[in-house]
Amino acid sequence: MSAVLQSPLATAPAALEIKPLAGRIGALIQGVRLSGDLAPETFVAIHQALLRHKVIFLRGQHHLDDAAQQAFASLWGELVAHPTVPAKAGTQNFELDSQHGGRANSWHTDVTFTTDYPKVSVLRGITIPDSGGDTVWSNTAAAYEELPPELKALAEQLWAVHSNDYDYAATRIDIDATGAQHHKEVFASRLIEAQHPLVRVHPETGERTLVAGHFIKRFAGYNTHDSDRLFEIFQHHITRLENTVRWQWTTGDVAIWDNRATQHYAINDYGKQHRVVRRVTVRGEVPVAVNGQHSFVPGDAANAVTHTA
């Protein structure tokens, strides 16, 4: 579908209203009731809006339960459960509960420690604090585009090892003891690593996007000091405010994001208030670098495939 963004968006169904929320990322969609039985033309309009805006939001989807959320998400492709955290019983929903370590307050792209990390995530607001608890998304395609030519050239040569055994406390000011324990005993219960290019080619739009975030453990071929400095440079471009959009949740909201072209951060500013959101993810493609090489499991570089399409 690489031609999708090379032509104007197809005319959306009359009831569907798409309103951009920020200059470089994010749109609010109104006039649709999400389900697994959407009319094809409605889903195409939503799909195209996602590719253009990177993250889209819908309010008032109170009718969705776990099964209906999964049915809608399955329109995007094969659903995939989290590799280490058990899903909510009887579902493929990954639940983030603030009372059980579910505070994802660090910049990341979902599950990049796997070689074929999710391409789309669908998140539903279940229990929302009276104040606080917003989520911020960033556009990693815009971040790449704003790099000066010399940094683009460097970025296109870099590969990084991503791991679920990352430093949970590294970027957190207030360490959540419950979250740290959950990370150690559940999230990182078994080591999973993948080596990705810092710049991948988006399989649908052809855009080049930066693959970074807190799952990066090190850049291949660099010592820890240099690796950390490189990470800071590129991560800073990704999280510049100009590349972001902030969403203030209400119960029944749904956020859908292109996980191949975004990072996100759940703001932990709501104290002891209860916050619960549930996420369903769709299996992604193995990233392809600008030189055609695919991502691979570290130590298995000999099996990394050259892209020929």
Side-chain angles (χ1 to χ4, degrees), residues 46-65:
I46 293 172
H47 190 169
Q48 291 183 329
L50 182 68
L51 294 178
R52 181 179 294 275
H53 298 288
K54 314 308 182 196
V55 56
I56 53 180
F57 306 97
L58 301 97
R59 292 205 185 272
Q61 305 297 308
H62 301 281
H63 62 282
L64 290 179
D65 57 14

Side-chain angles (χ1 to χ4, degrees), residues 124-206:
R124 176 167 58 107
I126 307 298
T127 302
I128 303 302
D130 291 334
S131 59
D134 297 356
T135 305
V136 184
W137 280 264
S138 64
N139 182 337
T140 63
Y144 168 83
E145 283 300 328
E146 75 179 11
L147 293 174
E150 295 80 5
L151 279 182
K152 283 184 180 178
L154 174 60
E156 291 168 6
Q157 300 175 46
L158 293 173
W159 286 71
V161 175
H162 294 239
S163 174
N164 64 330
D165 188 22
Y166 64 95
D167 186 353
Y168 177 87
T171 60
R172 291 170 169 85
I173 297 173
D174 296 319
I175 307 304
D176 174 13
T178 301
Q181 182 178 5
H182 182 268
H183 168 73
K184 180 179 179 180
E185 296 180 356
V186 179
F187 197 94
S189 57
R190 62 185 177 91
L191 179 64
I192 305 174
E193 293 187 339
Q195 190 156 314
H196 296 299
L198 179 59
V199 181
R200 72 173 290 183
V201 180
H202 194 291
E204 295 190 76
T205 67

Side-chain angles (χ1 to χ4, degrees), residues 66 69 88 93-103 123-129 132-133 135 249-253 270 272-279:
D66 292 339
Q69 181 182 2
K88 186 174 177 287
N93 280 270
F94 176 69
E95 183 171 87
L96 289 156
D97 185 332
S98 63
Q99 295 181 351
H100 297 92
R103 297 179 185 243
L123 189 67
R124 176 167 58 107
I126 307 298
T127 302
I128 303 302
T135 305
W249 288 92
T250 59
T251 301
D253 289 356
Y270 49 95
K272 294 183 179 180
Q273 296 181 84
H274 197 195
R275 183 182 188 270
V276 179
V277 292
R278 292 184 189 145
R279 188 186 77 203

